[in-house]
Amino acid sequence: MPTYLVTGAAGFIGANYVHLLLEWEPGAEVVAVDYIGFAGNLANVDAVIDRITFEKADIADFEVMEALYRRYRPDYVVNFAAESHNDRAILGPSSFMRSNALGAQVMAECSRLVPVRSHVHVSTIEVYGELAEGDKWFTERSALNAKTPYSAAKAAGDQMVRAYMQTYPEIDIRMTHCANNYGPFQLPEKLIPLAVTNVLHGKKVPVYGDGLQRRDWLHVADHCAAVHRVLHAELDAIPAAAATDPGLLPIFDVSARFEVTNIDIAAMAVTALGLNPDEWITHVPDRPNHDRRYLINPDKIESQLGWAPTHDFATGIAETVAWYVEHRMWWEQIIADKGELGVDWSQVGQAAAPR
Ligand SMILES: NC(=O)c1ccc[n+]([C@@H]2O[C@H](COP(=O)([O-])OP(=O)(O)OC[C@H]3O[C@@H](n4cnc5c(N)ncnc54)[C@H](O)[C@@H]3O)[C@@H](O)[C@H]2O)c1
């Protein structure tokens, strides 16, 4: 049976991937790596902990990661590990640069020195920046134009992975850019779980600014299936023309083409709890440099790899809200351990710190 090395495995998407991987391939050897940073939570893989090997390790630490590669000799590598919260990146960008940029390079370097069958670097729609009014969507050919500390650190990692793809074509390294994910195990400070957990605590749901920022949403299980499809796809060698055409690199944009405003998402979550959004949503000052809109086109992964999303949003959000209602102990523990994020954005240029 193949060995998978999955990083960021105690985070939201990585944990969902580990659960799904063990359903898809019950005999797979899974080495789950996470340094248990702010978003890491071993409870996310508790249900499968006796079926995986967990290694607490920092992907930006080359010696440690190279030793893990040599010990386990993974066939497949999926790098989900990243610092991922835009708000926290504004408060302290340095850890984002380390995990998202240096970490991406260290992982690629390990796959260069200790060959694997394939390696997927998981990235985000946000590296493309903000979509101009009138533009329909980004594609794999769009320029990287990240503008926030989180997305800029991810874009730095992406650039390095693209350099590895083209400089060392013998390493089979692929990349995905995904839309916003929703589903179980997401940290309670992210929009959908925040809406549910606040309401269940009797508090209103804070929405930044006018709430009209538009986001492209995909169920986490659809994202995991896309990553798995990319990992296992039979791909042609990178053609020379990719030097000037990034659309020819093994990069796949992943989306359900489902665009909604933040305020509508908050309203859907409140409605799913049987309450009136007008009474439960409050507007709070926007964070600085907040992207207004982004959307990506998944034509390439659909036409070349036959992937398509299977979760309809209305059902998906109702099930997700129900999951948070049913798993109250899981998120109450996180809030008790980590507190709630509350920021005075007027101080951000100085020394903003979570309250
Ligand atoms: N959440 C989304 O909507 C979304 C959308 C598109 C892409 N992505 C990408 O998917 C990946 C996973 O996102 P997520 O939402 O699960 O994030 P998350 O913050 O919930 O989980 C990330 C995990 O990575 C771990 N980690 C961070 N730095 C590490 C390091 N240096 N070494 C080892 N572990 C480290 C954290 O402890 C955490 O458990 C990220 O690369 C993110 O950029 C996320």
Coordinates of all heavy atoms in Angstrom, one line a residue, residues 6-16 33-42 44 54-61 65 79-85 95-96 98-100 102-104 107 121-127 150 154 158 176-182 185-187 190 216-218 220 223 227 254 294 296 338, ligand 1:
V6 N 1.1 13.7 4.6 CA 0.1 14.8 4.6 C 0.5 15.9 5.6 O 0.5 15.6 6.8 CB -1.3 14.3 4.8 CG1 -2.3 15.5 4.7 CG2 -1.7 13.2 3.9
T7 N 0.8 17.1 5.2 CA 1.2 18.1 6.1 C 0.0 19.0 6.4 O -1.0 19.1 5.6 CB 2.3 19.0 5.6 OG1 1.8 19.8 4.5 CG2 3.5 18.1 5.1
G8 N 0.0 19.7 7.6 CA -1.2 20.5 8.0 C -2.3 19.6 8.3 O -3.5 20.0 8.3
A9 N -2.0 18.4 8.7 CA -3.1 17.3 8.9 C -4.0 17.6 10.1 O -5.0 16.9 10.2 CB -2.4 15.9 9.0
A10 N -3.5 18.4 11.0 CA -4.4 18.7 12.2 C -5.2 20.0 12.0 O -5.8 20.5 12.9 CB -3.5 18.8 13.4
G11 N -5.1 20.6 10.8 CA -5.9 21.8 10.5 C -7.2 21.4 9.8 O -7.5 20.2 9.7
F12 N -7.9 22.4 9.4 CA -9.3 22.2 8.8 C -9.3 21.3 7.6 O -9.8 20.2 7.6 CB -9.8 23.6 8.5 CG -11.0 23.7 7.6 CD1 -12.1 22.8 7.7 CD2 -11.1 24.7 6.6 CE1 -13.2 22.9 6.8 CE2 -12.1 24.8 5.7 CZ -13.2 23.9 5.8
I13 N -8.6 21.7 6.5 CA -8.7 20.9 5.3 C -7.8 19.6 5.4 O -8.3 18.6 4.9 CB -8.3 21.8 4.1 CG1 -9.1 23.1 4.0 CG2 -8.5 21.0 2.8 CD1 -8.7 24.1 3.0
G14 N -6.6 19.7 6.0 CA -5.8 18.6 6.1 C -6.5 17.5 6.9 O -6.4 16.3 6.5
A15 N -7.2 17.8 7.9 CA -7.9 16.8 8.7 C -9.0 16.1 7.9 O -9.2 14.9 7.9 CB -8.4 17.3 10.0
N16 N -9.7 17.0 7.2 CA -10.8 16.4 6.3 C -10.2 15.5 5.3 O -10.7 14.4 5.0 CB -11.6 17.5 5.6 CG -12.7 18.1 6.5 OD1 -13.7 17.5 6.6 ND2 -12.4 19.2 7.1
V33 N 1.6 15.1 9.3 CA 2.5 16.1 9.9 C 1.9 17.4 10.2 O 1.1 17.9 9.4 CB 3.7 16.3 8.9 CG1 4.7 17.4 9.4 CG2 4.4 15.0 8.6
D34 N 2.1 17.9 11.4 CA 1.6 19.2 11.8 C 2.4 19.8 12.9 O 2.9 19.0 13.8 CB 0.1 19.2 12.2 CG -0.6 20.5 12.1 OD1 -0.2 21.5 12.7 OD2 -1.5 20.6 11.3
Y35 N 2.7 21.1 13.0 CA 3.5 21.6 14.1 C 2.5 22.1 15.2 O 3.0 22.6 16.2 CB 4.5 22.6 13.7 CG 4.1 24.0 13.3 CD1 5.1 25.0 13.2 CD2 2.8 24.4 13.1 CE1 4.8 26.3 12.8 CE2 2.5 25.7 12.7 CZ 3.5 26.6 12.5 OH 3.1 27.9 12.2
I36 N 1.2 21.9 15.0 CA 0.2 22.3 15.9 C 0.4 23.8 16.3 O 0.7 24.2 17.4 CB 0.1 21.4 17.2 CG1 0.1 19.9 16.8 CG2 -1.1 21.8 18.1 CD1 -1.2 19.4 16.2
G37 N 0.3 24.6 15.3 CA 0.3 26.0 15.4 C -1.0 26.5 15.9 O -1.8 25.7 16.4
F38 N -1.3 27.8 15.7 CA -2.6 28.3 16.3 C -3.8 27.5 15.8 O -4.7 27.3 16.6 CB -2.7 29.8 15.9 CG -3.9 30.4 16.5 CD1 -3.9 30.9 17.8 CD2 -5.2 30.4 15.9 CE1 -5.0 31.4 18.5 CE2 -6.3 30.9 16.5 CZ -6.2 31.4 17.8
A39 N -3.8 27.2 14.5 CA -5.0 26.5 14.0 C -4.9 25.0 14.1 O -5.9 24.3 13.8 CB -5.2 26.9 12.5
G40 N -3.8 24.4 14.5 CA -3.7 23.0 14.6 C -4.4 22.4 15.8 O -4.3 23.0 16.9
N41 N -5.1 21.3 15.6 CA -5.8 20.7 16.7 C -5.9 19.2 16.5 O -6.5 18.7 15.6 CB -7.3 21.3 16.6 CG -8.1 20.8 17.8 OD1 -7.7 20.0 18.6 ND2 -9.4 21.2 17.8
L42 N -5.1 18.5 17.3 CA -5.0 17.0 17.2 C -6.4 16.4 17.3 O -6.6 15.3 16.7 CB -4.0 16.5 18.2 CG -3.3 15.2 17.8 CD1 -2.7 15.3 16.4 CD2 -2.1 15.0 18.8
N44 N -8.9 17.0 15.7 CA -9.5 16.9 14.4 C -9.2 15.5 13.8 O -9.9 15.2 12.8 CB -8.9 18.0 13.5 CG -9.3 19.4 13.9 OD1 -10.1 19.6 14.8 ND2 -8.8 20.4 13.2
F54 N 1.3 10.1 13.5 CA 1.3 11.5 13.6 C 2.7 12.0 14.0 O 3.4 11.4 14.9 CB 0.3 12.0 14.7 CG 0.4 13.5 14.8 CD1 -0.2 14.3 13.8 CD2 1.1 14.1 15.9 CE1 -0.1 15.7 13.9 CE2 1.2 15.5 15.9 CZ 0.6 16.3 14.9
E55 N 3.2 13.0 13.3 CA 4.6 13.5 13.5 C 4.4 15.0 13.8 O 3.9 15.8 12.9 CB 5.5 13.3 12.4 CG 5.9 11.9 12.1 CD 7.0 11.4 13.1 OE1 7.5 12.2 14.0 OE2 7.3 10.2 13.1
K56 N 4.8 15.5 15.0 CA 4.7 16.9 15.3 C 6.0 17.5 14.7 O 7.1 17.3 15.2 CB 4.6 17.2 16.8 CG 4.4 18.6 17.1 CD 4.0 18.8 18.5 CE 3.8 20.3 18.7 NZ 4.1 20.8 20.0
A57 N 5.9 18.3 13.6 CA 7.1 18.8 13.0 C 6.7 20.1 12.2 O 5.6 20.3 11.8 CB 7.7 17.8 12.0
D58 N 7.8 20.9 12.0 CA 7.6 22.2 11.3 C 8.1 22.0 9.9 O 9.3 21.6 9.6 CB 8.5 23.2 12.0 CG 8.5 24.6 11.4 OD1 7.9 24.7 10.3 OD2 9.1 25.5 12.0
I59 N 7.2 22.2 8.9 CA 7.6 22.0 7.5 C 8.7 22.9 7.0 O 9.4 22.7 6.0 CB 6.5 22.0 6.5 CG1 5.8 23.4 6.5 CG2 5.5 20.9 6.8 CD1 5.1 23.7 5.2
A60 N 9.0 24.0 7.8 CA 10.0 24.9 7.4 C 11.4 24.5 7.9 O 12.4 25.2 7.6 CB 9.6 26.4 7.8
D61 N 11.4 23.5 8.7 CA 12.7 23.0 9.3 C 13.2 21.9 8.3 O 12.8 20.7 8.4 CB 12.4 22.5 10.7 CG 13.7 22.1 11.4 OD1 14.6 21.7 10.7 OD2 13.7 22.2 12.6
M65 N 12.4 17.8 8.3 CA 11.5 17.2 7.2 C 12.3 16.2 6.4 O 11.7 15.2 6.0 CB 11.0 18.4 6.4 CG 9.9 19.2 7.0 SD 8.6 18.3 7.9 CE 7.9 17.4 6.5
N79 N 0.9 18.9 0.6 CA 1.3 19.9 1.5 C 0.2 20.9 1.7 O 0.0 21.9 0.9 CB 2.6 20.7 1.0 CG 3.0 21.8 2.0 OD1 2.7 21.7 3.1 ND2 3.7 22.8 1.5
F80 N -0.6 20.7 2.8 CA -1.6 21.6 3.2 C -1.1 22.6 4.2 O -1.8 23.6 4.5 CB -2.8 20.9 3.9 CG -3.7 20.0 3.0 CD1 -3.5 18.6 3.0 CD2 -4.6 20.6 2.2 CE1 -4.4 17.8 2.2 CE2 -5.4 19.8 1.4 CZ -5.3 18.4 1.4
A81 N 0.0 22.4 4.8 CA 0.5 23.2 6.0 C 0.7 24.6 5.6 O 1.4 24.9 4.6 CB 1.7 22.6 6.6
A82 N 0.0 25.5 6.3 CA 0.2 26.9 6.1 C -0.4 27.6 7.3 O -1.3 27.1 7.9 CB -0.5 27.4 4.8
E83 N 0.1 28.8 7.5 CA -0.7 29.7 8.4 C -1.7 30.3 7.5 O -1.4 30.8 6.4 CB 0.2 30.8 9.0 CG 1.1 30.2 10.1 CD 0.3 29.6 11.3 OE1 -0.8 30.0 11.5 OE2 0.8 28.7 12.0
S84 N -3.0 30.3 7.9 CA -4.1 30.6 6.9 C -5.0 31.7 7.2 O -5.9 32.0 6.4 CB -4.9 29.3 6.7 OG -5.7 29.1 7.8
H85 N -4.9 32.3 8.4 CA -6.0 33.3 8.7 C -5.6 34.7 8.3 O -4.6 35.3 8.9 CB -6.4 33.2 10.2 CG -7.7 33.9 10.4 ND1 -8.4 33.8 11.6 CD2 -8.4 34.8 9.7 CE1 -9.5 34.6 11.6 NE2 -9.5 35.2 10.4
S95 N 5.2 34.6 10.9 CA 5.0 33.2 10.9 C 4.4 32.7 9.6 O 4.6 31.6 9.1 CB 4.2 32.7 12.1 OG 2.9 33.4 12.0
F96 N 3.7 33.6 8.9 CA 3.0 33.3 7.6 C 4.1 33.1 6.6 O 4.0 32.2 5.7 CB 2.0 34.4 7.2 CG 0.8 34.3 8.1 CD1 0.8 34.7 9.4 CD2 -0.4 33.8 7.5 CE1 -0.4 34.6 10.2 CE2 -1.6 33.7 8.3 CZ -1.5 34.1 9.6
R98 N 7.2 32.3 7.1 CA 8.0 31.0 7.3 C 7.2 29.8 6.8 O 7.8 29.0 6.1 CB 8.2 30.9 8.9 CG 9.0 29.7 9.2 CD 9.4 29.7 10.7 NE 9.9 28.3 11.0 CZ 11.1 27.9 10.9 NH1 12.0 28.7 10.4 NH2 11.5 26.7 11.2
S99 N 6.0 29.6 7.2 CA 5.2 28.4 6.9 C 4.9 28.4 5.4 O 5.0 27.4 4.7 CB 3.9 28.3 7.7 OG 4.2 28.0 9.0
N100 N 4.4 29.5 4.9 CA 3.7 29.5 3.5 C 4.8 29.6 2.4 O 4.5 29.1 1.3 CB 2.7 30.6 3.4 CG 1.6 30.6 4.5 OD1 1.7 29.7 5.4 ND2 0.7 31.4 4.5
L102 N 8.8 29.7 3.0 CA 9.9 28.8 3.3 C 9.4 27.4 3.4 O 10.1 26.4 2.8 CB 10.6 29.2 4.6 CG 11.8 28.4 5.0 CD1 12.9 28.4 3.9 CD2 12.4 28.8 6.3
G103 N 8.3 27.1 4.0 CA 7.8 25.8 4.2 C 7.5 25.1 2.8 O 7.8 23.9 2.6
A104 N 7.0 25.9 1.9 CA 6.7 25.3 0.6 C 7.9 24.9 -0.1 O 8.0 23.9 -0.8 CB 5.9 26.4 -0.2
M107 N 9.5 21.7 1.5 CA 8.8 20.5 1.1 C 9.2 20.1 -0.4 O 9.4 19.0 -0.6 CB 7.3 20.8 1.2 CG 6.7 20.9 2.6 SD 6.9 19.4 3.6 CE 5.9 18.3 2.7
H121 N 1.2 20.7 -4.0 CA 1.3 21.9 -3.2 C -0.1 22.6 -3.3 O -0.6 23.0 -4.3 CB 2.4 22.9 -3.8 CG 2.4 24.2 -3.2 ND1 2.9 24.5 -1.9 CD2 1.9 25.4 -3.6 CE1 2.7 25.8 -1.6 NE2 2.2 26.4 -2.7
V122 N -0.7 22.7 -2.1 CA -2.1 23.2 -2.0 C -2.0 24.8 -1.8 O -1.5 25.2 -0.8 CB -2.9 22.6 -0.9 CG1 -4.3 23.2 -0.7 CG2 -2.9 21.1 -1.1
S123 N -2.6 25.5 -2.8 CA -2.6 26.9 -2.6 C -4.0 27.5 -2.8 O -5.0 26.7 -2.8 CB -1.6 27.5 -3.6 OG -1.5 28.9 -3.3
T124 N -4.1 28.8 -2.9 CA -5.4 29.4 -2.7 C -5.7 30.4 -3.9 O -4.8 31.0 -4.5 CB -5.4 30.2 -1.4 OG1 -6.5 31.1 -1.4 CG2 -4.1 31.0 -1.2
I125 N -7.0 30.6 -4.1 CA -7.4 31.6 -5.1 C -6.9 33.0 -4.7 O -6.7 33.8 -5.6 CB -9.0 31.6 -5.0 CG1 -9.6 32.6 -6.0 CG2 -9.5 32.0 -3.6 CD1 -11.2 32.5 -6.0
E126 N -6.5 33.2 -3.4 CA -6.2 34.5 -3.0 C -4.8 35.0 -3.6 O -4.5 36.2 -3.5 CB -6.2 34.6 -1.5 CG -7.6 34.4 -0.9 CD -7.7 34.6 0.6 OE1 -7.2 35.6 1.1 OE2 -8.3 33.7 1.2
V127 N -4.0 34.1 -4.1 CA -2.7 34.5 -4.7 C -3.0 35.4 -5.9 O -2.1 36.2 -6.3 CB -1.8 33.4 -5.0 CG1 -1.4 32.6 -3.8 CG2 -2.4 32.4 -6.1
Y150 N -1.2 37.3 4.2 CA -1.4 35.9 4.0 C -1.2 35.5 2.6 O -0.4 34.6 2.2 CB -2.8 35.5 4.5 CG -3.3 34.2 3.9 CD1 -2.7 33.0 4.2 CD2 -4.4 34.2 3.0 CE1 -3.2 31.8 3.7 CE2 -4.9 33.0 2.5 CZ -4.2 31.8 2.8 OH -4.7 30.6 2.3
K154 N 1.6 33.1 0.6 CA 1.3 31.9 -0.2 C 1.8 32.1 -1.6 O 2.3 31.2 -2.2 CB -0.3 31.8 -0.3 CG -0.9 31.3 1.0 CD -0.5 29.8 1.4 CE -1.1 28.8 0.4 NZ -0.8 27.4 1.0
D158 N 4.1 29.8 -3.8 CA 3.7 29.3 -5.2 C 4.8 29.6 -6.2 O 5.1 28.7 -7.1 CB 2.5 30.1 -5.7 CG 1.2 29.6 -5.0 OD1 1.3 28.9 -4.0 OD2 0.1 29.8 -5.6
T176 N -2.5 23.2 -6.7 CA -4.0 23.6 -6.8 C -4.1 25.0 -6.2 O -3.4 25.4 -5.3 CB -4.9 22.6 -6.1 OG1 -4.4 22.5 -4.7 CG2 -4.9 21.2 -6.7
H177 N -5.1 25.7 -6.8 CA -5.6 27.0 -6.1 C -7.0 26.8 -5.9 O -7.8 26.5 -6.8 CB -5.4 28.2 -7.1 CG -4.0 28.5 -7.5 ND1 -3.6 28.7 -8.8 CD2 -3.0 28.7 -6.7 CE1 -2.4 29.0 -8.8 NE2 -1.9 29.0 -7.6
C178 N -7.5 26.9 -4.7 CA -8.9 26.6 -4.4 C -9.6 27.9 -3.9 O -9.0 28.7 -3.3 CB -9.0 25.5 -3.4 SG -10.7 24.9 -3.2
A179 N -10.9 27.8 -4.1 CA -11.8 28.8 -3.6 C -12.0 28.7 -2.1 O -11.4 27.8 -1.5 CB -13.2 28.6 -4.3
N180 N -12.7 29.5 -1.4 CA -13.0 29.4 0.0 C -13.7 28.1 0.3 O -14.7 27.8 -0.3 CB -13.9 30.6 0.4 CG -13.2 31.8 0.8 OD1 -12.3 32.2 0.1 ND2 -13.6 32.5 1.8
N181 N -13.2 27.4 1.4 CA -13.8 26.2 1.8 C -14.7 26.4 3.0 O -14.5 27.2 3.8 CB -12.7 25.2 2.2 CG -11.9 24.6 1.1 OD1 -11.4 23.5 1.2 ND2 -11.6 25.3 0.1
Y182 N -15.7 25.5 3.0 CA -16.5 25.4 4.2 C -16.8 23.9 4.5 O -16.7 23.1 3.6 CB -17.9 26.1 4.0 CG -18.8 25.5 3.1 CD1 -19.8 24.6 3.5 CD2 -18.7 25.6 1.7 CE1 -20.7 24.0 2.7 CE2 -19.5 25.0 0.8 CZ -20.5 24.1 1.3 OH -21.3 23.5 0.4
F185 N -14.8 21.0 11.1 CA -13.4 21.1 11.6 C -12.8 22.5 11.3 O -11.5 22.6 11.3 CB -12.5 20.0 11.2 CG -12.8 18.6 11.6 CD1 -13.2 17.6 10.7 CD2 -12.8 18.3 13.0 CE1 -13.6 16.4 11.2 CE2 -13.2 17.0 13.4 CZ -13.6 16.1 12.5
Q186 N -13.6 23.5 10.8 CA -13.0 24.8 10.6 C -12.9 25.6 11.9 O -13.9 25.6 12.7 CB -13.8 25.5 9.5 CG -13.0 26.8 9.0 CD -13.6 27.4 7.7 OE1 -14.8 27.2 7.5 NE2 -12.8 28.0 6.9
L187 N -11.8 26.3 12.1 CA -11.6 27.0 13.3 C -12.8 28.0 13.5 O -13.2 28.7 12.6 CB -10.3 27.8 13.1 CG -9.5 28.1 14.4 CD1 -9.1 26.8 15.1 CD2 -8.3 28.9 14.1
K190 N -13.5 31.5 11.8 CA -13.7 31.7 10.4 C -15.3 32.0 10.2 O -16.0 31.5 11.1 CB -13.3 30.6 9.6 CG -11.7 30.3 9.7 CD -11.0 31.3 8.9 CE -9.5 31.0 8.9 NZ -8.9 30.5 7.7
D216 N -16.0 33.0 -3.3 CA -16.3 31.8 -4.1 C -16.2 30.6 -3.1 O -15.1 30.4 -2.5 CB -15.2 31.8 -5.2 CG -15.2 30.7 -6.2 OD1 -16.1 29.9 -6.2 OD2 -14.3 30.7 -7.0
W217 N -17.3 29.9 -2.9 CA -17.3 28.9 -1.9 C -17.4 27.4 -2.4 O -18.1 27.2 -3.4 CB -18.5 29.1 -1.0 CG -18.4 30.3 -0.1 CD1 -18.8 31.6 -0.4 CD2 -17.8 30.4 1.2 NE1 -18.4 32.4 0.6 CE2 -17.8 31.7 1.6 CE3 -17.2 29.4 2.0 CZ2 -17.3 32.1 2.8 CZ3 -16.7 29.9 3.2 CH2 -16.8 31.2 3.6
L218 N -16.7 26.5 -1.8 CA -16.6 25.1 -2.2 C -16.6 24.3 -0.9 O -15.9 24.6 0.1 CB -15.3 24.9 -3.0 CG -15.2 23.4 -3.5 CD1 -16.1 23.2 -4.7 CD2 -13.7 23.2 -3.9
V220 N -15.5 21.5 1.6 CA -14.1 21.0 1.8 C -13.9 19.6 1.2 O -12.9 19.2 0.7 CB -13.8 21.0 3.3 CG1 -14.7 20.1 4.1 CG2 -12.3 20.7 3.6
H223 N -13.1 19.9 -2.3 CA -11.7 20.4 -2.5 C -10.7 19.2 -2.3 O -9.8 19.0 -3.1 CB -11.4 21.5 -1.4 CG -10.0 22.0 -1.5 ND1 -9.4 22.8 -0.5 CD2 -9.0 21.9 -2.4 CE1 -8.2 23.1 -0.8 NE2 -7.9 22.6 -2.0
V227 N -7.9 17.7 -4.9 CA -6.5 17.5 -4.5 C -6.1 16.0 -4.8 O -5.0 15.8 -5.4 CB -6.2 17.9 -3.1 CG1 -4.8 17.4 -2.6 CG2 -6.4 19.4 -2.9
V254 N -9.5 25.3 -8.6 CA -10.6 24.5 -8.1 C -11.7 25.4 -7.5 O -11.5 26.2 -6.6 CB -10.1 23.6 -6.9 CG1 -11.2 22.6 -6.5 CG2 -8.9 22.8 -7.4
Y294 N -13.3 37.8 -5.5 CA -12.5 36.9 -6.3 C -13.3 35.7 -6.7 O -14.1 35.2 -5.9 CB -11.1 36.5 -5.7 CG -11.1 36.3 -4.2 CD1 -11.6 35.2 -3.6 CD2 -10.4 37.2 -3.4 CE1 -11.5 35.0 -2.2 CE2 -10.3 37.0 -2.0 CZ -10.8 35.9 -1.4 OH -10.7 35.7 -0.1
I296 N -12.6 32.0 -9.3 CA -11.7 31.3 -10.3 C -12.5 30.4 -11.2 O -13.6 29.9 -10.8 CB -10.6 30.5 -9.7 CG1 -11.0 29.8 -8.4 CG2 -9.4 31.4 -9.4 CD1 -9.9 28.9 -7.9
K338 N -8.0 28.9 23.1 CA -7.4 29.9 22.3 C -8.0 31.3 22.4 O -7.5 32.3 21.9 CB -7.4 29.5 20.8 CG -6.7 28.1 20.6 CD -6.7 27.7 19.2 CE -6.3 26.2 19.0 NZ -5.0 25.9 18.8
Ligands
LIG1 N1 -9.6 27.4 4.2 C1 -9.7 27.8 2.9 O1 -10.8 28.3 2.6 C2 -8.7 27.5 1.9 C3 -8.9 27.8 0.6 C4 -8.0 27.5 -0.4 C5 -6.7 27.0 0.0 N2 -6.5 26.9 1.3 C6 -5.1 26.3 1.6 O2 -5.3 25.0 2.2 C7 -4.3 24.8 3.2 C8 -5.0 24.4 4.5 O3 -5.9 25.4 4.9 P1 -6.7 25.3 6.2 O4 -7.9 26.2 6.0 O5 -6.9 23.9 6.5 O6 -5.8 26.0 7.3 P2 -5.7 25.7 8.8 O7 -5.1 27.0 9.4 O8 -7.0 25.3 9.4 O9 -4.7 24.5 8.9 C9 -3.3 24.6 8.6 C10 -2.6 23.6 9.4 O10 -1.2 23.7 9.1 C11 -0.4 23.7 10.2 N3 0.8 24.4 10.0 C12 1.0 25.7 9.7 N4 2.3 26.0 9.5 C13 3.0 24.8 9.7 C14 4.3 24.4 9.7 N5 5.3 25.3 9.4 N6 4.7 23.1 9.9 C15 3.7 22.2 10.1 N7 2.4 22.5 10.2 C16 2.0 23.8 10.0 C17 -1.3 24.3 11.3 O11 -0.9 24.0 12.6 C18 -2.7 23.9 10.9 O12 -3.0 22.7 11.6 C19 -3.5 26.0 3.3 O13 -2.4 25.9 2.5 C20 -4.4 27.1 2.7 O14 -3.6 28.2 2.1 C21 -7.4 27.1 2.3

